Amino acid sequence: MSAPAPDMLAGRVPRRQARWYRALAVVAAGLIALMMGVTCIDVFGRYLLNRPFGGAYELTQMLLAALVFVALPLTTADGGHVEVDLALHMFSRRVQVLMGRLAGLVSAAALAYFAWRLAVIGLDQWHEGTRSASLMLPMAPLAFLAAISCAVSSLILILPRDEVAA
């Protein structure tokens, strides 16, 4: 394993060379750029032309939700989730490793459950034709994106670190 990049926190595993990681990072950057564009158009229209972008708030909310779920597998792969280990140092290295694996399995199970529930919600929204309030955008694709993101993050936690990096 190579040395961590200078901007990586200790204990995190760099995954920047993996194709899937780079692809998701590009998508996340694109979503941030879109959010910035929507905000700029809204501010420009509101204050200079007196014609605000009517769906800016709703579109920004949807883009932010998409960004969070696109970034979830990236954060999971980097080991960047918040961890509280106040008493972990009091245990032997072996117990620490076992507790880490148990925490990973519990997290994977929770994410798998979220993926299943979000898929069910997405199917319900798809069949009911649920749309956003002002722009009338379909909501099901966002639920499916969230479900896929949770499922991928769950797999990242279960697979050995070597397979995730490929």
Side-chain angles (χ1 to χ4, degrees):
M1 183 166 73
S2 62
D7 62 339
M8 296 286 297
L9 295 177
R12 293 194 183 164
V13 181
R15 307 253 185 251
R16 294 191 180 121
Q17 285 70 35
R19 286 185 189 151
W20 68 267
Y21 188 99
R22 287 193 311 245
L24 280 180
V26 167
V27 171
L31 289 169
I32 291 171
L34 280 172
M35 286 174 47
M36 289 176 9
V38 167
T39 303
C40 289
I41 290 168
D42 185 43
V43 168
F44 181 80
R46 181 178 310 275
Y47 295 109
L48 296 178
L49 304 176
N50 201 25
R51 297 190 62 135
F53 176 18
Y57 181 72
E58 183 177 281
L59 189 55
T60 301
Q61 283 181 320
M62 293 179 80
L63 288 170
L64 182 59
L67 175 62
V68 166
F69 284 107
V70 165
L72 180 63
L74 299 175
T75 305
T76 303
D78 281 343
H81 295 294
V82 175
E83 295 178 0
V84 179
D85 57 357
L86 297 174
L88 195 60
H89 67 280
M90 296 170 27
F91 297 100
S92 69
R93 179 73 181 138
R94 183 172 179 219
V95 171
Q96 290 178 18
V97 169
L98 288 173
M99 290 176 73
R101 288 185 183 155
L102 177 63
L105 289 174
V106 170
S107 297
L111 284 166
Y113 175 76
F114 294 156
W116 170 65
R117 289 300 306 150
L118 285 163
V120 169
I121 289 168
L123 287 171
D124 288 345
Q125 289 176 338
W126 182 268
H127 293 302
E128 294 171 6
T130 306
R131 297 190 170 274
S132 63
S134 62
L135 295 176
M136 300 303 293
L137 297 172
M139 298 298 290
L142 192 57
F144 291 139
L145 172 67
I148 291 168
S149 173
C150 288
V152 168
S153 295
S154 179
L155 287 174
I156 289 170
L157 288 168
I158 293 171
L159 291 176
R161 292 276 183 207
D162 303 359
E163 292 180 30
V164 174

